[in-house]
Amino acid sequence: MGPDISHHPLAGADGSATISSNLYSVLAAVNGPIEVQRRDELPEEAAIEVNIRPASGVGGPRERWLESVVTAVLRSVLLVHMHPRTLIQVTLQLTTGPTLKLKNATRDISVLPSLVNAAFLALVDGGLPLQSTVTAVLLAVSGEEVISIDPAEKELAGCKSVHALAYTQHGDLLLNESAGNFNLEVWEEVADRAEKACVAAVALASEDDEMANGTAEAAPWLRRELEEKARDAVAWRDHT
Amino acid sequence: MAKDASPVPGLAFPRETFAKLTPAPFLHAHLKQAKPVRPSGRAVGDFREPTINIGSLSHSNGSAVVRLGDTAVVCGVRAEILLASDIPSPPKEDLSESQMLENLGLIVPNVELSTGCSPNHLPGNAPGTQAQALSYRLSSLLYSSEMLRPQDLRIEYTTPQTDDDLPDQGPQVVTKAYWTLYIDILCIALDGNAYDAAWIAVIAALQDCKLPKAWWDQDREMVLCSPLASEASKLHLRDVPIPATFAIFSTLSPLKQRSEADHWVMADPDEFEAALCAEMVTMVVRTGAGINDSIVRIEKHGGGMVGRTAMKECFGMALARAKNIRRVLQID
């Protein structure tokens, strides 16, 4: 389970990845560390610039806001102090989006997990030094207070509240954007489910565990993806 | 060496120099005391008390000036008429009331930070990322909180009965035009937490906002407004949500063990504190008489120090803050 991922689709960028979940497809490209404009230079760490381009049209205030959210998350994922006075540039291009007419707040939050996951995979592909592994999930709470992970479009359209959360492999909450109408108990349950899903995505799981609770949220999809990538990276040794 | 040389100055800096040279250790030195005190003299959970002045702009429909410590925000609401016939693709009938406001874009907030309010925002420049993000967050909350009633913004016309009509059919009501609210927010001084200040200003301005009586004149085929102030009506705001922003200062660094890191949650951060914090939490809550305490929006990014327990504490503080702000705004 997990989204469809392809690594390094772009030859020109230092790192790139595409990720397609049931709602969004995102193409991410990373360049860095590269030279930074004097204006943006930080003396002790790398500056991070995120550019988000919507599937159609040009970006506006909405994209600026999404960029500021993704930047804050990446700043806590990257080891920025290793490349002071440089720039790490991340470009995220949305390629497909939901077709149903969603409320603006729901639409904004539903795109965040895809953006964060895509940016993270591109950073890995670009070989940038990272301090943690981050996974983001989207959850929707229906009118009957049923929580669903990775909801379908229909569930999103009728949901009472929507939550985007990102956790590191240690279970640190890096991102939480929630909108709708909910109380603290619902949020706690949402956070609990999200943490389990995020930690499971990078957990060491044997085949047996997977067979036992073979649910979507327990699949270590990100770990598998990263392990495969690591294997490919050292494959040349076996050929020599 | 000369014997009358002045004594060697101690290796102590004045407070301001310490703050300028090493801001993070300066803040840390304040917070790590047994009873943490922030450089501004506030305790970690203290919010700044807002000062609100309404109706100070005479040419807008509603206005407010809000001051939160050294952050000052002016908000003006201007109402304009949008003719239904000018809407290129009218919303479908099956759309819910709240989605209609969003689809037509009847509330248009805009934040201006390029006023010389802080050295980070050069006056006269185009709105930067922060200003655009702020505008968008406000607009998102205005729509998703469903605070404004769509019927307040409608200008309706009841078609008179004609002989052709079926006798049992009642008079038909048609929406001929809508009020569009342009909410302009000017930040005249910025010392952190622009979002909370801007939202309080928006609420105060909307509470003050008076729309003139407007009706559709069938003969002239246009909307007419009454000049009489006595006929103007106020907007009705439902279940006003109130935000509270927190900044989390942590000593976590990649060169240190994760378990050694300490952190403090500071309510209503000023600019100096916000610049040193990687993690920010904004929680928008609903509370008050006859309303169940609930959360409308959580925005948290960066860091990783705030988990479930810290979020619960934030919720408690946000509720207390919301009650206080509602009192100041005279909602309850």
Side-chain angles (χ1 to χ4, degrees):
Chain A
M1 275 304 286
D4 288 335
I5 294 163
S6 74
H7 296 283
H8 212 75
L10 306 173
D14 289 343
S16 57
T18 59
I19 187 164
S20 329
S21 59
N22 54 354
L23 292 167
Y24 291 93
S25 302
V26 182
L27 168 63
V30 166
N31 281 304
I34 54 173
E35 200 179 335
V36 61
Q37 273 187 31
R38 267 304 271 285
R39 187 162 51 103
D40 305 325
E41 192 180 276
L42 300 172
E44 283 176 8
E45 51 186 54
I48 300 172
E49 180 188 303
V50 178
N51 293 302
I52 294 176
R53 296 173 191 282
S56 61
V58 290
R62 172 176 182 260
E63 279 66 32
R64 298 293 93 71
W65 169 71
L66 288 170
E67 284 165 9
S68 65
V69 174
V70 176
T71 309
V73 175
L74 297 185
R75 179 160 293 283
S76 305
V77 173
L78 279 157
L79 286 168
V80 278
H81 72 285
M82 288 181 70
H83 302 289
R85 303 187 309 281
T86 58
L87 175 72
I88 294 163
Q89 194 178 40
V90 181
T91 309
L92 300 162
Q93 168 77 55
L94 287 159
T95 45
T96 55
T99 45
L100 277 176
K101 180 104 188 111
L102 297 173
K103 271 198 225 162
N104 280 349
T106 311
R107 205 164 44 96
D108 299 341
I109 286 175
S110 64
V111 71
L112 273 166
S114 300
L115 293 176
V116 170
N117 287 335
F120 174 73
L121 284 164
L123 291 177
V124 171
D125 188 52
L128 284 151
L130 306 173
Q131 54 176 318
S132 54
T133 310
V134 68
T135 326
V137 282
L138 181 69
L139 297 100
V141 181
S142 72
E144 293 85 45
E145 310 223 320
V146 179
I147 300 170
S148 53
I149 294 192
D150 290 331
E153 269 180 59
K154 272 224 176 86
E155 288 175 284
L156 269 185
C159 72
K160 203 170 155 210
S161 63
V162 60
H163 310 258
L165 293 101
Y167 278 94
T168 64
Q169 80 277 27
H170 305 297
D172 288 346
L173 180 60
L174 284 193
L175 164 80
N176 176 19
E177 290 280 335
S178 305
N181 199 353
F182 52 99
N183 54 32
L184 197 65
E185 289 74 52
V186 172
W187 181 83
E188 284 189 300
E189 207 182 321
V190 164
D192 198 47
R193 290 279 295 274
E195 185 178 348
K196 278 198 189 116
C198 287
V199 172
V202 287
L204 265 174
S206 61
E207 295 286 318
D208 300 343
D209 287 352
E210 215 175 299
M211 296 301 276
N213 54 27
T215 48
E217 54 196 270
W221 60 271
L222 187 60
R223 171 171 284 273
R224 243 184 274 154
E225 210 58 55
L226 296 176
E227 276 176 352
E228 203 173 301
K229 213 176 140 41
R231 264 199 301 278
D232 289 349
V234 293
W236 59 275
R237 276 194 210 150
D238 304 332
H239 298 301
T240 50
Chain B
M1 237 194 225
K3 276 193 181 144
D4 58 340
S6 56
V8 183
L11 277 172
F13 297 125
R15 210 179 113 88
E16 291 74 28
T17 316
F18 187 17
K20 267 260 155 32
L21 279 177
T22 50
F26 177 72
L27 182 56
H28 188 204
H30 274 88
L31 293 173
K32 72 182 173 193
Q33 301 173 79
K35 197 166 167 279
V37 177
R38 290 148 72 174
S40 53
R42 283 189 279 161
V44 278
D46 279 1
F47 289 88
R48 295 174 286 187
E49 278 304 309
T51 324
I52 301 170
N53 197 338
I54 54 167
S56 24
L57 309 180
S58 52
H59 288 270
S60 63
N61 293 70
S63 65
V65 182
V66 168
R67 212 184 147 119
L68 212 62
D70 282 339
T71 299
V73 170
V74 182
C75 174
V77 180
R78 192 174 77 248
E80 284 185 12
I81 289 166
L82 170 71
L83 286 176
S85 54
D86 288 345
I87 300 168
S89 50
K92 291 185 202 82
E93 290 300 315
D94 59 340
L95 222 56
S96 72
E97 291 271 277
S98 58
Q99 270 181 306
M100 187 205 78
L101 289 184
E102 196 170 88
N103 265 25
L104 292 173
L106 294 183
I107 317 169
V108 190
N110 183 42
V111 179
E112 186 65 73
L113 291 179
S114 313
T115 53
C117 61
S118 106
N120 300 335
H121 305 278
L122 292 177
N125 273 11
T129 308
Q130 202 194 340
Q132 291 192 38
L134 210 50
S135 300
Y136 191 75
R137 288 168 66 197
L138 289 172
S139 125
S140 177
L141 186 56
L142 275 166
Y143 287 117
S144 67
S145 65
E146 298 178 11
M147 195 171 61
L148 285 158
R149 292 189 305 184
Q151 69 257 38
D152 285 351
L153 300 179
R154 278 207 179 114
I155 299 167
E156 285 168 337
Y157 173 68
T158 316
T159 46
Q161 291 277 32
T162 55
D163 299 338
D164 305 337
D165 281 343
L166 296 168
D168 55 340
Q169 206 174 14
Q172 215 181 353
V173 179
V174 201
T175 305
K176 284 293 189 184
Y178 300 93
W179 284 109
T180 309
L181 302 178
Y182 290 91
I183 304 176
D184 283 287
I185 301 139
L186 262 94
C187 190
I188 48 176
L190 181 59
D191 188 25
N193 207 359
Y195 183 70
D196 288 10
W199 181 257
I200 298 170
V202 167
I203 298 294
L206 284 175
Q207 277 182 320
D208 178 49
C209 182
K210 271 189 176 157
L211 296 181
K213 188 187 173 206
W215 67 93
W216 175 257
D217 189 298
Q218 186 63 37
D219 301 332
R220 276 180 274 194
E221 296 217 318
M222 63 192 290
V223 175
L224 298 180
C225 288
S226 155
L228 296 174
S230 57
E231 286 187 330
S233 59
K234 282 209 163 189
L235 285 172
H236 179 88
L237 304 182
R238 295 183 291 196
D239 307 350
V240 177
I242 306 287
T245 299
F246 306 89
I248 292 87
F249 178 75
S250 100
T251 53
L252 181 72
S253 95
L255 313 170
K256 229 163 60 184
Q257 286 286 320
R258 283 176 65 245
S259 51
E260 286 173 21
D262 242 341
H263 73 277
W264 293 268
V265 179
M266 294 181 288
D268 192 9
D270 61 29
E271 193 70 58
F272 176 78
E273 291 158 350
L276 296 170
C277 297
E279 188 171 0
M280 298 285 252
V281 176
T282 298
M283 198 177 261
V284 187
V285 296
R286 254 189 200 134
T287 182
I291 310 169
N292 287 334
D293 294 351
S294 63
I295 309 172
V296 177
R297 186 116 189 152
I298 302 177
E299 296 179 56
K300 181 228 125 82
H301 33 72
M305 285 297 168
V306 170
R308 247 159 288 163
T309 40
M311 204 64 114
K312 221 187 263 179
E313 284 163 25
C314 287
F315 179 62
M317 285 197 269
L319 280 182
R321 170 68 163 175
K323 289 199 175 100
N324 184 21
I325 296 288
R326 285 175 73 94
R327 204 163 43 242
V328 177
L329 287 168
Q330 292 163 356
I331 298 173
D332 286 329

